[in-house]
Amino acid sequence: MDRPQETDVLIVGGGPAGLSVASHLGDGISSVVVHQDREIGKPIRTSGGSWLTDAKALGLPSNLYTIIGKGRIFSGNEVAEIDLAGNPVIAFDVTALYRYLATLSDDKPCQKLTGTKFLSTTRQADGWFLSKLRSAGQGEWQIRSRYIVDASGWHMAVLSSLSLGQAPARTGVGYEIEYPIGNMDPDTAIIFFGADARAGYGWGLPAPGGMFRLGIGVLQPDTADNPRDRMNALLSSDRLARYGIEMPTPDHVNAGIIPSVPYDRRLVYGGVIRVGDSANMATPTLGEGIRLCIESGRHLGACLTRVLETGAAHHLKTYERMANRKYARNYRFGFLTNTRAAGYDEHDWDRTVRRIGRLDSDLLVQAFKSEFTPAMMARTVGKSLIRKIWPRQA
Ligand SMILES: Cc1cc2nc3c(=O)[nH]c(=O)nc-3n(C[C@H](O)[C@H](O)[C@H](O)COP(=O)(O)OP(=O)(O)OC[C@H]3O[C@@H](n4cnc5c(N)ncnc54)[C@H](O)[C@@H]3O)c2cc1C
């Protein structure tokens, strides 16, 4: 491996956020992406669910996902059928998507170093950063950079190193089994709430390549349970049949962690900028982050380019302002619903799912996407929708 000694931008983390920053830096700007995993896109730490309209808007090729037109939402005693034809859900081939995102910077002066962990950084007298890295089999080495992007996900590796932040105190922890779809309906996604996933939710997602993803995520420390134990309890119960899910055949397991704390408006700390999960950009309602990481990563890449080309640091504030405009208010509502719903009992979920079944599917999708926008509020008279969906709210 060629170890660069200096770069304009050091990007820590080769997930969707970091790779998207790299792909949108200008052709004259050098960058180094350091990624502690041995490969881009593996191991898989996400479920890969998203929305067709967003994938199209981001220009993601259609061979990277499968499209799903129906949803079924369960509580202990209720079920709501959702027609998603107007807002199809998609499931990404996560490894293929991340590798595709990595190719988008192949024609730029960008080096992607896998098996390389960012350890720490210090700010030098000239304003540059000197960062310590460790590469598999090659030991520790150092690199100088003008800017550092923290795209390390929930680790918040760069901010932690500079004592500007720390790993989140509340997280969503997920465990998922991926196995052949067998006779299950490839056009129906499932969400289940209540006893099988208290303080969280479970999902069943038809996936590319004739696969199916069965997962459970829980919020810690709201519950002391871990999702693997919950999964084992589900598999030894008779409820899989109720959800229309076939017993997993041994295949592979995906597991991951996502922050679940209030959105923090500060994204820029001089030459250190955060994006993606390290900036808590995944939705507070379902914890969906991939499309948002790609979009904000690209925007940050473009803003950093303007800063480096013109020397005008205020372009980074444009990134921060636009992200705050997109997330701050929406996520305040979303986080409120997240914390309330984490305390729901079986009865609350039955009532909620009954109400979801009566909702217009466009509004439901917007709530799932944490898009509590003025337009949506105007359509629904805001709080009354939240009361309808989450009855103990407000
Ligand atoms: C169980 C689960 C299910 C999910 N399901 C969905 C879903 O269905 N749809 C969706 O859109 N989102 C989903 N998400 C959220 C989504 O996965 C995240 O929002 C997204 O992956 C965040 O991207 P990122 O690039 O910010 O961080 P990450 O994807 O976490 O990437 C950061 C990378 O940085 C690396 N790294 C960390 N520290 C260092 C270091 N010190 N040095 C070098 N590298 C480092 C990590 O190994 C990691 O690979 C899910 C999350 C979980 C946990």
Side-chain angles (χ1 to χ4, degrees), residues 12-18 34-37 45-49 98 116-118 151-153 155 157 174 256-258 275-277 282 287-290 293:
V12 177
V34 290
H35 189 54
Q36 65 185 6
D37 302 332
R45 301 199 173 88
T46 180
S47 222
Y98 289 13
T116 300
K117 181 169 181 160
F118 166 92
S152 64
H155 302 264
I257 295 177
I258 189 172
V275 64
D277 272 10
E288 182 221 338
I290 296 171
C293 291

PDB file of all heavy atoms in Angstrom, residues 12-18 34-37 45-49 98 116-118 151-153 155 157 174 256-258 275-277 282 287-290 293, ligand 1:
ATOM      1  N   VAL A  12     -12.620  10.058   7.243  1.00  0.00           N
ATOM      2  CA  VAL A  12     -12.555   8.887   8.125  1.00  0.00           C
ATOM      3  C   VAL A  12     -13.878   8.131   8.033  1.00  0.00           C
ATOM      4  O   VAL A  12     -14.918   8.618   8.475  1.00  0.00           O
ATOM      5  CB  VAL A  12     -12.254   9.305   9.581  1.00  0.00           C
ATOM      6  CG1 VAL A  12     -12.263   8.083  10.494  1.00  0.00           C
ATOM      7  CG2 VAL A  12     -10.914  10.026   9.639  1.00  0.00           C
ATOM      8  N   GLY A  13     -13.851   6.947   7.426  1.00  0.00           N
ATOM      9  CA  GLY A  13     -15.052   6.129   7.271  1.00  0.00           C
ATOM     10  C   GLY A  13     -15.433   5.990   5.812  1.00  0.00           C
ATOM     11  O   GLY A  13     -15.651   6.985   5.117  1.00  0.00           O
ATOM     12  N   GLY A  14     -15.477   4.742   5.349  1.00  0.00           N
ATOM     13  CA  GLY A  14     -15.842   4.470   3.954  1.00  0.00           C
ATOM     14  C   GLY A  14     -17.230   3.880   3.831  1.00  0.00           C
ATOM     15  O   GLY A  14     -17.460   2.918   3.096  1.00  0.00           O
ATOM     16  N   GLY A  15     -18.192   4.465   4.583  1.00  0.00           N
ATOM     17  CA  GLY A  15     -19.602   4.126   4.419  1.00  0.00           C
ATOM     18  C   GLY A  15     -20.210   5.072   3.385  1.00  0.00           C
ATOM     19  O   GLY A  15     -19.485   5.812   2.697  1.00  0.00           O
ATOM     20  N   PRO A  16     -21.546   5.091   3.268  1.00  0.00           N
ATOM     21  CA  PRO A  16     -22.173   5.939   2.249  1.00  0.00           C
ATOM     22  C   PRO A  16     -21.858   7.424   2.407  1.00  0.00           C
ATOM     23  O   PRO A  16     -21.706   8.133   1.399  1.00  0.00           O
ATOM     24  CB  PRO A  16     -23.678   5.670   2.427  1.00  0.00           C
ATOM     25  CG  PRO A  16     -23.812   5.000   3.750  1.00  0.00           C
ATOM     26  CD  PRO A  16     -22.532   4.307   4.023  1.00  0.00           C
ATOM     27  N   ALA A  17     -21.701   7.897   3.652  1.00  0.00           N
ATOM     28  CA  ALA A  17     -21.431   9.325   3.848  1.00  0.00           C
ATOM     29  C   ALA A  17     -20.026   9.676   3.363  1.00  0.00           C
ATOM     30  O   ALA A  17     -19.843  10.577   2.532  1.00  0.00           O
ATOM     31  CB  ALA A  17     -21.611   9.699   5.329  1.00  0.00           C
ATOM     32  N   GLY A  18     -19.024   8.960   3.855  1.00  0.00           N
ATOM     33  CA  GLY A  18     -17.640   9.276   3.494  1.00  0.00           C
ATOM     34  C   GLY A  18     -17.384   9.107   2.002  1.00  0.00           C
ATOM     35  O   GLY A  18     -16.730   9.956   1.370  1.00  0.00           O
ATOM     36  N   VAL A  34     -10.019   6.727   4.779  1.00  0.00           N
ATOM     37  CA  VAL A  34      -9.515   5.595   5.564  1.00  0.00           C
ATOM     38  C   VAL A  34     -10.703   4.829   6.137  1.00  0.00           C
ATOM     39  O   VAL A  34     -11.636   5.407   6.685  1.00  0.00           O
ATOM     40  CB  VAL A  34      -8.544   6.024   6.692  1.00  0.00           C
ATOM     41  CG1 VAL A  34      -7.246   6.512   6.093  1.00  0.00           C
ATOM     42  CG2 VAL A  34      -9.134   7.068   7.614  1.00  0.00           C
ATOM     43  N   HIS A  35     -10.633   3.520   5.960  1.00  0.00           N
ATOM     44  CA  HIS A  35     -11.767   2.662   6.308  1.00  0.00           C
ATOM     45  C   HIS A  35     -11.237   1.469   7.089  1.00  0.00           C
ATOM     46  O   HIS A  35     -10.389   0.731   6.586  1.00  0.00           O
ATOM     47  CB  HIS A  35     -12.436   2.226   4.992  1.00  0.00           C
ATOM     48  CG  HIS A  35     -13.734   1.521   5.185  1.00  0.00           C
ATOM     49  ND1 HIS A  35     -14.769   2.058   5.906  1.00  0.00           N
ATOM     50  CD2 HIS A  35     -14.165   0.310   4.756  1.00  0.00           C
ATOM     51  CE1 HIS A  35     -15.795   1.218   5.898  1.00  0.00           C
ATOM     52  NE2 HIS A  35     -15.441   0.141   5.211  1.00  0.00           N
ATOM     53  N   GLN A  36     -11.713   1.299   8.310  1.00  0.00           N
ATOM     54  CA  GLN A  36     -11.101   0.261   9.155  1.00  0.00           C
ATOM     55  C   GLN A  36     -11.452  -1.152   8.717  1.00  0.00           C
ATOM     56  O   GLN A  36     -10.707  -2.097   9.014  1.00  0.00           O
ATOM     57  CB  GLN A  36     -11.474   0.479  10.615  1.00  0.00           C
ATOM     58  CG  GLN A  36     -12.944   0.313  10.922  1.00  0.00           C
ATOM     59  CD  GLN A  36     -13.292   0.667  12.371  1.00  0.00           C
ATOM     60  OE1 GLN A  36     -12.445   1.138  13.124  1.00  0.00           O
ATOM     61  NE2 GLN A  36     -14.526   0.434  12.764  1.00  0.00           N
ATOM     62  N   ASP A  37     -12.568  -1.315   8.007  1.00  0.00           N
ATOM     63  CA  ASP A  37     -12.929  -2.665   7.548  1.00  0.00           C
ATOM     64  C   ASP A  37     -12.020  -3.071   6.381  1.00  0.00           C
ATOM     65  O   ASP A  37     -11.479  -2.218   5.688  1.00  0.00           O
ATOM     66  CB  ASP A  37     -14.396  -2.692   7.108  1.00  0.00           C
ATOM     67  CG  ASP A  37     -15.329  -2.254   8.232  1.00  0.00           C
ATOM     68  OD1 ASP A  37     -14.959  -2.451   9.412  1.00  0.00           O
ATOM     69  OD2 ASP A  37     -16.394  -1.688   7.938  1.00  0.00           O
ATOM     70  N   ARG A  45     -23.812  -3.781   7.836  1.00  0.00           N
ATOM     71  CA  ARG A  45     -24.284  -3.378   9.162  1.00  0.00           C
ATOM     72  C   ARG A  45     -25.611  -2.632   9.060  1.00  0.00           C
ATOM     73  O   ARG A  45     -25.949  -1.824   9.921  1.00  0.00           O
ATOM     74  CB  ARG A  45     -23.252  -2.464   9.811  1.00  0.00           C
ATOM     75  CG  ARG A  45     -21.893  -3.092   9.981  1.00  0.00           C
ATOM     76  CD  ARG A  45     -21.089  -2.340  11.018  1.00  0.00           C
ATOM     77  NE  ARG A  45     -19.857  -2.997  11.310  1.00  0.00           N
ATOM     78  CZ  ARG A  45     -18.718  -2.807  10.646  1.00  0.00           C
ATOM     79  NH1 ARG A  45     -18.677  -1.949   9.651  1.00  0.00           N
ATOM     80  NH2 ARG A  45     -17.631  -3.460  10.985  1.00  0.00           N
ATOM     81  N   THR A  46     -26.330  -2.855   7.991  1.00  0.00           N
ATOM     82  CA  THR A  46     -27.573  -2.122   7.758  1.00  0.00           C
ATOM     83  C   THR A  46     -28.535  -3.033   7.018  1.00  0.00           C
ATOM     84  O   THR A  46     -28.116  -4.039   6.445  1.00  0.00           O
ATOM     85  CB  THR A  46     -27.270  -0.861   6.922  1.00  0.00           C
ATOM     86  OG1 THR A  46     -28.467  -0.144   6.691  1.00  0.00           O
ATOM     87  CG2 THR A  46     -26.654  -1.211   5.568  1.00  0.00           C
ATOM     88  N   SER A  47     -29.814  -2.619   7.014  1.00  0.00           N
ATOM     89  CA  SER A  47     -30.820  -3.444   6.352  1.00  0.00           C
ATOM     90  C   SER A  47     -31.033  -3.052   4.896  1.00  0.00           C
ATOM     91  O   SER A  47     -31.558  -3.825   4.109  1.00  0.00           O
ATOM     92  CB  SER A  47     -32.123  -3.264   7.114  1.00  0.00           C
ATOM     93  OG  SER A  47     -32.744  -4.459   7.258  1.00  0.00           O
ATOM     94  N   GLY A  48     -30.682  -1.810   4.562  1.00  0.00           N
ATOM     95  CA  GLY A  48     -30.716  -1.399   3.159  1.00  0.00           C
ATOM     96  C   GLY A  48     -32.087  -1.056   2.607  1.00  0.00           C
ATOM     97  O   GLY A  48     -32.279  -1.049   1.393  1.00  0.00           O
ATOM     98  N   GLY A  49     -33.045  -0.721   3.477  1.00  0.00           N
ATOM     99  CA  GLY A  49     -34.364  -0.287   2.982  1.00  0.00           C
ATOM    100  C   GLY A  49     -34.333   1.188   2.626  1.00  0.00           C
ATOM    101  O   GLY A  49     -33.630   1.979   3.274  1.00  0.00           O
ATOM    102  N   TYR A  98     -22.517   0.218  -1.900  1.00  0.00           N
ATOM    103  CA  TYR A  98     -21.348   0.910  -1.341  1.00  0.00           C
ATOM    104  C   TYR A  98     -20.171   0.834  -2.321  1.00  0.00           C
ATOM    105  O   TYR A  98     -19.409   1.787  -2.458  1.00  0.00           O
ATOM    106  CB  TYR A  98     -20.971   0.327   0.020  1.00  0.00           C
ATOM    107  CG  TYR A  98     -21.956   0.655   1.146  1.00  0.00           C
ATOM    108  CD1 TYR A  98     -23.216   1.180   0.893  1.00  0.00           C
ATOM    109  CD2 TYR A  98     -21.629   0.430   2.480  1.00  0.00           C
ATOM    110  CE1 TYR A  98     -24.115   1.462   1.915  1.00  0.00           C
ATOM    111  CE2 TYR A  98     -22.522   0.719   3.515  1.00  0.00           C
ATOM    112  CZ  TYR A  98     -23.765   1.226   3.227  1.00  0.00           C
ATOM    113  OH  TYR A  98     -24.650   1.510   4.244  1.00  0.00           O
ATOM    114  N   THR A 116      -7.586   0.227   7.323  1.00  0.00           N
ATOM    115  CA  THR A 116      -6.807   1.335   7.905  1.00  0.00           C
ATOM    116  C   THR A 116      -7.668   2.093   8.907  1.00  0.00           C
ATOM    117  O   THR A 116      -8.728   2.611   8.550  1.00  0.00           O
ATOM    118  CB  THR A 116      -6.316   2.288   6.798  1.00  0.00           C
ATOM    119  OG1 THR A 116      -5.497   1.541   5.903  1.00  0.00           O
ATOM    120  CG2 THR A 116      -5.530   3.441   7.360  1.00  0.00           C
ATOM    121  N   LYS A 117      -7.203   2.126  10.124  1.00  0.00           N
ATOM    122  CA  LYS A 117      -7.991   2.742  11.195  1.00  0.00           C
ATOM    123  C   LYS A 117      -7.419   4.101  11.581  1.00  0.00           C
ATOM    124  O   LYS A 117      -6.205   4.234  11.775  1.00  0.00           O
ATOM    125  CB  LYS A 117      -7.982   1.812  12.411  1.00  0.00           C
ATOM    126  CG  LYS A 117      -8.794   2.339  13.569  1.00  0.00           C
ATOM    127  CD  LYS A 117      -8.987   1.296  14.642  1.00  0.00           C
ATOM    128  CE  LYS A 117      -9.844   1.905  15.747  1.00  0.00           C
ATOM    129  NZ  LYS A 117     -10.463   0.933  16.578  1.00  0.00           N
ATOM    130  N   PHE A 118      -8.303   5.069  11.678  1.00  0.00           N
ATOM    131  CA  PHE A 118      -7.929   6.383  12.218  1.00  0.00           C
ATOM    132  C   PHE A 118      -7.816   6.230  13.727  1.00  0.00           C
ATOM    133  O   PHE A 118      -8.746   5.734  14.372  1.00  0.00           O
ATOM    134  CB  PHE A 118      -9.014   7.404  11.850  1.00  0.00           C
ATOM    135  CG  PHE A 118      -8.935   8.694  12.618  1.00  0.00           C
ATOM    136  CD1 PHE A 118      -8.217   9.767  12.127  1.00  0.00           C
ATOM    137  CD2 PHE A 118      -9.593   8.826  13.836  1.00  0.00           C
ATOM    138  CE1 PHE A 118      -8.148  10.958  12.834  1.00  0.00           C
ATOM    139  CE2 PHE A 118      -9.542  10.017  14.553  1.00  0.00           C
ATOM    140  CZ  PHE A 118      -8.808  11.083  14.042  1.00  0.00           C
ATOM    141  N   ALA A 151     -16.725  10.786   9.100  1.00  0.00           N
ATOM    142  CA  ALA A 151     -17.812   9.991   8.513  1.00  0.00           C
ATOM    143  C   ALA A 151     -17.716   8.578   9.073  1.00  0.00           C
ATOM    144  O   ALA A 151     -17.956   7.595   8.386  1.00  0.00           O
ATOM    145  CB  ALA A 151     -17.695   9.982   6.984  1.00  0.00           C
ATOM    146  N   SER A 152     -17.344   8.508  10.361  1.00  0.00           N
ATOM    147  CA  SER A 152     -17.070   7.210  10.974  1.00  0.00           C
ATOM    148  C   SER A 152     -18.305   6.589  11.608  1.00  0.00           C
ATOM    149  O   SER A 152     -18.208   5.622  12.357  1.00  0.00           O
ATOM    150  CB  SER A 152     -15.966   7.360  12.022  1.00  0.00           C
ATOM    151  OG  SER A 152     -16.403   8.197  13.082  1.00  0.00           O
ATOM    152  N   GLY A 153     -19.495   7.145  11.310  1.00  0.00           N
ATOM    153  CA  GLY A 153     -20.723   6.575  11.864  1.00  0.00           C
ATOM    154  C   GLY A 153     -20.816   6.829  13.362  1.00  0.00           C
ATOM    155  O   GLY A 153     -20.294   7.827  13.874  1.00  0.00           O
ATOM    156  N   HIS A 155     -19.328   5.788  15.795  1.00  0.00           N
ATOM    157  CA  HIS A 155     -18.054   5.853  16.529  1.00  0.00           C
ATOM    158  C   HIS A 155     -17.659   7.305  16.816  1.00  0.00           C
ATOM    159  O   HIS A 155     -16.993   7.579  17.800  1.00  0.00           O
ATOM    160  CB  HIS A 155     -16.922   5.215  15.706  1.00  0.00           C
ATOM    161  CG  HIS A 155     -17.173   3.792  15.346  1.00  0.00           C
ATOM    162  ND1 HIS A 155     -16.670   2.749  16.072  1.00  0.00           N
ATOM    163  CD2 HIS A 155     -17.866   3.231  14.334  1.00  0.00           C
ATOM    164  CE1 HIS A 155     -17.040   1.603  15.527  1.00  0.00           C
ATOM    165  NE2 HIS A 155     -17.765   1.878  14.460  1.00  0.00           N
ATOM    166  N   ALA A 157     -15.285   8.973  15.550  1.00  0.00           N
ATOM    167  CA  ALA A 157     -13.868   8.770  15.876  1.00  0.00           C
ATOM    168  C   ALA A 157     -13.085  10.079  15.925  1.00  0.00           C
ATOM    169  O   ALA A 157     -12.255  10.285  16.818  1.00  0.00           O
ATOM    170  CB  ALA A 157     -13.248   7.808  14.865  1.00  0.00           C
ATOM    171  N   GLY A 174     -29.162  -3.402  16.061  1.00  0.00           N
ATOM    172  CA  GLY A 174     -29.941  -4.272  15.181  1.00  0.00           C
ATOM    173  C   GLY A 174     -29.263  -5.600  14.901  1.00  0.00           C
ATOM    174  O   GLY A 174     -28.028  -5.691  14.870  1.00  0.00           O
ATOM    175  N   GLY A 256     -25.686  -4.181  13.384  1.00  0.00           N
ATOM    176  CA  GLY A 256     -25.121  -2.830  13.403  1.00  0.00           C
ATOM    177  C   GLY A 256     -25.693  -1.970  14.513  1.00  0.00           C
ATOM    178  O   GLY A 256     -26.608  -2.375  15.237  1.00  0.00           O
ATOM    179  N   ILE A 257     -25.136  -0.778  14.607  1.00  0.00           N
ATOM    180  CA  ILE A 257     -25.510   0.193  15.649  1.00  0.00           C
ATOM    181  C   ILE A 257     -25.746   1.543  14.986  1.00  0.00           C
ATOM    182  O   ILE A 257     -25.013   1.919  14.063  1.00  0.00           O
ATOM    183  CB  ILE A 257     -24.368   0.323  16.682  1.00  0.00           C
ATOM    184  CG1 ILE A 257     -24.191  -1.011  17.420  1.00  0.00           C
ATOM    185  CG2 ILE A 257     -24.627   1.453  17.672  1.00  0.00           C
ATOM    186  CD1 ILE A 257     -23.049  -1.008  18.417  1.00  0.00           C
ATOM    187  N   ILE A 258     -26.777   2.239  15.462  1.00  0.00           N
ATOM    188  CA  ILE A 258     -27.078   3.567  14.911  1.00  0.00           C
ATOM    189  C   ILE A 258     -27.340   4.518  16.084  1.00  0.00           C
ATOM    190  O   ILE A 258     -27.926   4.106  17.083  1.00  0.00           O
ATOM    191  CB  ILE A 258     -28.307   3.448  13.969  1.00  0.00           C
ATOM    192  CG1 ILE A 258     -28.536   4.731  13.209  1.00  0.00           C
ATOM    193  CG2 ILE A 258     -29.559   3.045  14.712  1.00  0.00           C
ATOM    194  CD1 ILE A 258     -29.614   4.598  12.145  1.00  0.00           C
ATOM    195  N   VAL A 275     -20.546  14.242   9.134  1.00  0.00           N
ATOM    196  CA  VAL A 275     -21.607  13.947   8.168  1.00  0.00           C
ATOM    197  C   VAL A 275     -22.084  12.517   8.399  1.00  0.00           C
ATOM    198  O   VAL A 275     -21.338  11.675   8.896  1.00  0.00           O
ATOM    199  CB  VAL A 275     -21.072  14.140   6.726  1.00  0.00           C
ATOM    200  CG1 VAL A 275     -19.966  13.152   6.392  1.00  0.00           C
ATOM    201  CG2 VAL A 275     -22.183  14.059   5.678  1.00  0.00           C
ATOM    202  N   GLY A 276     -23.348  12.250   8.044  1.00  0.00           N
ATOM    203  CA  GLY A 276     -23.884  10.891   8.171  1.00  0.00           C
ATOM    204  C   GLY A 276     -24.217  10.558   9.613  1.00  0.00           C
ATOM    205  O   GLY A 276     -24.630  11.416  10.387  1.00  0.00           O
ATOM    206  N   ASP A 277     -24.032   9.283   9.983  1.00  0.00           N
ATOM    207  CA  ASP A 277     -24.392   8.868  11.343  1.00  0.00           C
ATOM    208  C   ASP A 277     -23.572   9.589  12.406  1.00  0.00           C
ATOM    209  O   ASP A 277     -24.032   9.739  13.539  1.00  0.00           O
ATOM    210  CB  ASP A 277     -24.186   7.355  11.512  1.00  0.00           C
ATOM    211  CG  ASP A 277     -25.426   6.558  11.099  1.00  0.00           C
ATOM    212  OD1 ASP A 277     -26.359   7.159  10.518  1.00  0.00           O
ATOM    213  OD2 ASP A 277     -25.452   5.342  11.349  1.00  0.00           O
ATOM    214  N   ALA A 282     -29.568   9.937  10.329  1.00  0.00           N
ATOM    215  CA  ALA A 282     -30.601   8.940  10.014  1.00  0.00           C
ATOM    216  C   ALA A 282     -31.917   9.360  10.663  1.00  0.00           C
ATOM    217  O   ALA A 282     -31.928  10.036  11.693  1.00  0.00           O
ATOM    218  CB  ALA A 282     -30.166   7.567  10.520  1.00  0.00           C
ATOM    219  N   GLY A 287     -34.999   5.051  11.697  1.00  0.00           N
ATOM    220  CA  GLY A 287     -33.539   4.861  11.682  1.00  0.00           C
ATOM    221  C   GLY A 287     -33.028   4.552  10.297  1.00  0.00           C
ATOM    222  O   GLY A 287     -32.179   3.676  10.110  1.00  0.00           O
ATOM    223  N   GLU A 288     -33.539   5.307   9.311  1.00  0.00           N
ATOM    224  CA  GLU A 288     -33.164   5.066   7.917  1.00  0.00           C
ATOM    225  C   GLU A 288     -32.188   6.168   7.518  1.00  0.00           C
ATOM    226  O   GLU A 288     -32.513   7.349   7.597  1.00  0.00           O
ATOM    227  CB  GLU A 288     -34.460   5.155   7.089  1.00  0.00           C
ATOM    228  CG  GLU A 288     -34.299   4.895   5.641  1.00  0.00           C
ATOM    229  CD  GLU A 288     -35.137   5.868   4.826  1.00  0.00           C
ATOM    230  OE1 GLU A 288     -36.123   6.437   5.336  1.00  0.00           O
ATOM    231  OE2 GLU A 288     -34.756   6.071   3.672  1.00  0.00           O
ATOM    232  N   GLY A 289     -30.962   5.783   7.079  1.00  0.00           N
ATOM    233  CA  GLY A 289     -29.968   6.832   6.876  1.00  0.00           C
ATOM    234  C   GLY A 289     -29.246   6.847   5.544  1.00  0.00           C
ATOM    235  O   GLY A 289     -28.604   7.852   5.206  1.00  0.00           O
ATOM    236  N   ILE A 290     -29.299   5.759   4.772  1.00  0.00           N
ATOM    237  CA  ILE A 290     -28.394   5.650   3.616  1.00  0.00           C
ATOM    238  C   ILE A 290     -28.586   6.804   2.630  1.00  0.00           C
ATOM    239  O   ILE A 290     -27.636   7.477   2.239  1.00  0.00           O
ATOM    240  CB  ILE A 290     -28.582   4.293   2.920  1.00  0.00           C
ATOM    241  CG1 ILE A 290     -28.171   3.161   3.874  1.00  0.00           C
ATOM    242  CG2 ILE A 290     -27.781   4.217   1.622  1.00  0.00           C
ATOM    243  CD1 ILE A 290     -28.515   1.770   3.393  1.00  0.00           C
ATOM    244  N   CYS A 293     -27.337  10.064   4.027  1.00  0.00           N
ATOM    245  CA  CYS A 293     -25.857  10.119   4.084  1.00  0.00           C
ATOM    246  C   CYS A 293     -25.293  10.429   2.692  1.00  0.00           C
ATOM    247  O   CYS A 293     -24.332  11.187   2.568  1.00  0.00           O
ATOM    248  CB  CYS A 293     -25.295   8.786   4.562  1.00  0.00           C
ATOM    249  SG  CYS A 293     -25.662   8.449   6.289  1.00  0.00           S
TER     250      CYS A 293
HETATM  251  C1  LIG B   1     -29.435  -2.602  12.143  1.00  0.00           C
HETATM  252  C2  LIG B   1     -29.531  -1.379  11.265  1.00  0.00           C
HETATM  253  C3  LIG B   1     -30.456  -1.345  10.239  1.00  0.00           C
HETATM  254  C4  LIG B   1     -30.518  -0.225   9.414  1.00  0.00           C
HETATM  255  N1  LIG B   1     -31.416  -0.224   8.392  1.00  0.00           N
HETATM  256  C5  LIG B   1     -31.414   0.800   7.529  1.00  0.00           C
HETATM  257  C6  LIG B   1     -32.250   0.768   6.397  1.00  0.00           C
HETATM  258  O1  LIG B   1     -33.020  -0.192   6.205  1.00  0.00           O
HETATM  259  N2  LIG B   1     -32.192   1.804   5.525  1.00  0.00           N
HETATM  260  C7  LIG B   1     -31.352   2.866   5.719  1.00  0.00           C
HETATM  261  O2  LIG B   1     -31.338   3.788   4.899  1.00  0.00           O
HETATM  262  N3  LIG B   1     -30.572   2.945   6.816  1.00  0.00           N
HETATM  263  C8  LIG B   1     -30.576   1.929   7.708  1.00  0.00           C
HETATM  264  N4  LIG B   1     -29.757   1.980   8.789  1.00  0.00           N
HETATM  265  C9  LIG B   1     -28.954   3.196   9.000  1.00  0.00           C
HETATM  266  C10 LIG B   1     -27.782   3.254   8.046  1.00  0.00           C
HETATM  267  O3  LIG B   1     -27.117   2.028   8.027  1.00  0.00           O
HETATM  268  C11 LIG B   1     -26.831   4.361   8.497  1.00  0.00           C
HETATM  269  O4  LIG B   1     -27.531   5.563   8.625  1.00  0.00           O
HETATM  270  C12 LIG B   1     -25.696   4.531   7.488  1.00  0.00           C
HETATM  271  O5  LIG B   1     -25.002   3.327   7.312  1.00  0.00           O
HETATM  272  C13 LIG B   1     -24.718   5.585   8.002  1.00  0.00           C
HETATM  273  O6  LIG B   1     -23.706   5.753   7.041  1.00  0.00           O
HETATM  274  P1  LIG B   1     -22.337   6.458   7.446  1.00  0.00           P
HETATM  275  O7  LIG B   1     -21.513   6.461   6.230  1.00  0.00           O
HETATM  276  O8  LIG B   1     -22.614   7.709   8.173  1.00  0.00           O
HETATM  277  O9  LIG B   1     -21.706   5.488   8.547  1.00  0.00           O
HETATM  278  P2  LIG B   1     -21.370   3.943   8.479  1.00  0.00           P
HETATM  279  O10 LIG B   1     -22.212   3.235   7.481  1.00  0.00           O
HETATM  280  O11 LIG B   1     -21.415   3.478   9.896  1.00  0.00           O
HETATM  281  O12 LIG B   1     -19.888   3.912   7.939  1.00  0.00           O
HETATM  282  C14 LIG B   1     -18.826   4.373   8.719  1.00  0.00           C
HETATM  283  C15 LIG B   1     -17.654   3.443   8.506  1.00  0.00           C
HETATM  284  O13 LIG B   1     -16.537   4.013   9.183  1.00  0.00           O
HETATM  285  C16 LIG B   1     -15.754   3.003   9.709  1.00  0.00           C
HETATM  286  N5  LIG B   1     -15.002   3.522  10.846  1.00  0.00           N
HETATM  287  C17 LIG B   1     -15.450   3.778  12.090  1.00  0.00           C
HETATM  288  N6  LIG B   1     -14.468   4.214  12.866  1.00  0.00           N
HETATM  289  C18 LIG B   1     -13.354   4.247  12.084  1.00  0.00           C
HETATM  290  C19 LIG B   1     -12.003   4.605  12.334  1.00  0.00           C
HETATM  291  N7  LIG B   1     -11.581   4.994  13.540  1.00  0.00           N
HETATM  292  N8  LIG B   1     -11.123   4.512  11.299  1.00  0.00           N
HETATM  293  C20 LIG B   1     -11.518   4.093  10.069  1.00  0.00           C
HETATM  294  N9  LIG B   1     -12.787   3.719   9.793  1.00  0.00           N
HETATM  295  C21 LIG B   1     -13.690   3.814  10.792  1.00  0.00           C
HETATM  296  C22 LIG B   1     -16.761   1.935  10.159  1.00  0.00           C
HETATM  297  O14 LIG B   1     -16.154   0.658  10.180  1.00  0.00           O
HETATM  298  C23 LIG B   1     -17.861   2.073   9.121  1.00  0.00           C
HETATM  299  O15 LIG B   1     -17.791   1.075   8.135  1.00  0.00           O
HETATM  300  C24 LIG B   1     -29.678   0.885   9.638  1.00  0.00           C
HETATM  301  C25 LIG B   1     -28.758   0.865  10.694  1.00  0.00           C
HETATM  302  C26 LIG B   1     -28.678  -0.266  11.501  1.00  0.00           C
HETATM  303  C27 LIG B   1     -27.674  -0.285  12.615  1.00  0.00           C
END
